Amino acid sequence: DLGHAQPFALWVQGNSDALGGSHLRRVALVGSRVATAYGEHATTTLADGLAQRGYTVVADGGYGIAAAAHRATLAASGCTVAVLACGTDRPFPPGNATLFQHITDAGGALVSELPPGTGPTRQRFTARARLIAALCATTVVVEASTRSTALRIAEHALSMGRTVAGVPGPITSATSTGVHRLIQDGETRLVATVEDITELIPTG
């Protein structure tokens, strides 16, 4: 689905089966690295519900929304995948090193299109967005400002005809302005519960 933008290869650390099967069983939970308590609570609730229903939760391994998604999935004994903007042997950010270890120990995986030894750069963070979108049938933006990288993931997903959903936030919160804009544009579905998300996922 990525066409000329498809990666040359994917390097996987952990359980390669986490990327097996249909992309319909994978849901991306993405959003701000500077998440609010509201955003982390919403992410935890949604990730827990998805994990309990057997979906693999995909995120970018960063702080904020991504870390909350990974941790909640692990707490629910689910499978989670972190898509990195660096080699899988140099996981970034370093502060999440223990989290990355827990992901692989629990049967999840760290994934990258970059070979071992490669460090992160601004361009690689941007390029990673298309991979997260392509790996999942559904992308859910929990919190995002108007300049958030999470919006790039949503844009790639929409360009591939994938489902994109957004969690509404407080009208006073800068970390929800990007999500609200997505919903207002009409191509993104508003979701508030895990049932809202699963109803949007194609069955085949």
Side-chain angles (χ1 to χ4, degrees), residues 111-199:
V111 180
S112 177
E113 66 176 319
L114 302 165
T118 306
T121 65
R122 182 185 298 273
Q123 182 179 6
R124 289 166 183 162
F125 283 119
T126 301
R128 172 184 58 182
R130 77 194 198 289
L131 298 182
I132 296 174
L135 285 171
C136 303
T138 305
T139 293
V140 180
V141 184
V142 182
E143 276 191 320
S145 67
T146 53
R147 301 183 66 180
S148 173
T149 303
L151 301 185
R152 290 184 178 272
I153 300 172
E155 290 168 1
H156 283 294
L158 290 171
S159 72
M160 289 185 285
R162 303 288 173 86
T163 300
V164 176
V167 177
I171 61 173
T172 55
S173 175
T175 54
S176 289
T177 53
V179 184
H180 294 162
R181 181 62 59 83
L182 280 176
I183 296 171
Q184 288 171 333
D185 287 345
E187 294 185 276
T188 299
R189 303 290 296 273
L190 186 154
V191 294
T193 67
V194 68
E195 288 79 15
D196 292 339
I197 297 172
T198 57
E199 287 176 2

Side-chain angles (χ1 to χ4, degrees), residues 3 29 38 93 108 113 117:
L29 292 181
Y38 165 83
E113 66 176 319

Side-chain angles (χ1 to χ4, degrees), residues 22-25 55 137-138 161 163 197-204:
S22 172
H23 70 294
L24 299 178
R25 300 302 301 177
Y55 291 94
T138 305
T163 300
I197 297 172
T198 57
E199 287 176 2
L200 295 176
I201 299 174
T203 57

Side-chain angles (χ1 to χ4, degrees), residues 2 8 13 48 90 126 136:
L2 286 173
F8 177 76
Q13 180 174 323
D48 175 81
R90 295 183 60 183
T126 301
C136 303

Side-chain angles (χ1 to χ4, degrees), residues 5-6 40 56 110 133-134 146 181 204:
Q6 63 184 310
E40 291 191 352
T56 295
L110 309 181
T146 53
R181 181 62 59 83

